[in-house]
Amino acid sequence: MIKKILALFSILFAFQFMVLAQTGNVKPLTIGEVRTLKSKILNEDRTLNIYLPQGFDKAKSYPVIYLLDGSINEDFIHVTGLVQFFNQMYAMPETIVVGIANIDRKRDFTFHTDLKDLQQDYPTTGHSDKFINFLEKELLPYIGSQYKTTDKYLFGQSLGGLLATEILFKKPEMFNNYFIISKFMVG
């Protein structure tokens, strides 16, 4: 009996969706754009998820948050939601968010190690130098050529926080501000 009721609800829901779609009441929900940057340094395509403020004006300059772990299924959606919330509730300046989608976090976010056990357990680890070069020589100039920008913020958590810390120590001038976050469990 329950299966029949669930099947009936499924059919009614599908029918309602089809009717709404046909009457034009369904619109896509868009919070940004997806771009692909061909990186010569990394020798791969990098996906960028970009949030532009409501009422984005090409003539206006905006601060930019560069979000490590910026895939759609990682931190991009909730960080852009926080940016919108703080903009509306606390007069945070309108801000562009550039989410950098991951391909291999261990490779990109960790620095070289000579420890054999780490090299064995994590064979791709230790290439943050290339990723930092990508940020500095390809990504930052690309975003600067596409949008008028002001301050640059780097946002990294967990391994992304490790990379943000490395950049802060080695090349602090790359970004104006750093958000370095770590998950800590007490128990």
Side-chain angles (χ1 to χ4, degrees):
M1 181 66 166
I2 292 176
K3 288 182 182 179
K4 289 181 182 179
I5 293 172
L6 289 175
L8 180 62
F9 277 121
S10 297
I11 292 169
L12 289 174
F13 177 76
F15 178 73
Q16 180 183 13
F17 183 77
M18 288 171 31
V19 169
L20 286 174
Q22 290 173 356
T23 61
N25 290 332
V26 175
K27 299 176 190 171
L29 174 63
T30 305
I31 65 165
E33 55 191 35
V34 178
R35 294 184 178 219
T36 301
L37 179 59
K38 293 186 179 301
S39 172
K40 291 179 183 174
I41 293 170
L42 298 174
N43 195 30
E44 63 193 13
D45 291 348
R46 295 309 294 241
T47 300
L48 306 175
N49 298 303
I50 301 174
Y51 164 77
L52 300 173
Q54 290 180 356
F56 174 76
D57 180 356
K58 288 183 178 186
K60 185 177 169 186
S61 296
Y62 296 91
V64 181
I65 294 173
Y66 291 88
L67 177 62
L68 304 170
D69 295 313
S71 297
I72 292 294
N73 62 346
E74 293 176 310
D75 295 334
F76 182 73
I77 290 176
H78 66 264
V79 169
T80 57
L82 289 170
V83 167
Q84 289 175 337
F85 176 77
F86 286 120
N87 175 258
Q88 292 171 1
M89 298 303 292
Y90 300 107
M92 175 182 166
E94 293 181 317
T95 303
I96 295 171
V97 178
V98 176
I100 308 158
N102 283 320
I103 293 176
D104 184 342
R105 294 176 83 237
K106 289 178 182 70
R107 176 194 70 190
D108 294 337
F109 294 175
T110 59
F111 49 87
H112 176 74
T113 181
D114 289 323
L115 298 175
K116 298 298 180 202
D117 58 331
L118 288 177
Q119 290 175 347
Q120 183 178 340
D121 291 343
Y122 307 104
T124 63
T125 195
H127 297 280
S128 60
D129 54 338
K130 286 179 84 173
F131 193 77
I132 293 168
N133 264 343
F134 159 73
L135 293 174
E136 181 179 33
K137 295 179 177 153
E138 292 179 329
L139 181 62
L140 293 174
Y142 173 75
I143 295 300
S145 74
Q146 301 298 304
Y147 310 100
K148 291 180 119 183
T149 64
T150 59
D151 288 345
K152 298 178 299 244
Y153 296 78
L154 183 61
F155 190 112
Q157 61 89 22
S158 190
L159 277 181
L162 179 66
L163 179 71
T165 302
E166 182 180 355
I167 295 169
L168 177 61
F169 284 134
K170 291 181 176 178
K171 297 186 175 211
E173 69 285 349
M174 268 181 71
F175 298 93
N176 303 93
N177 299 284
Y178 292 80
F179 290 93
I180 300 170
I181 301 162
S182 177
K183 299 175 189 165
F184 190 102
M185 300 283 291
V186 178

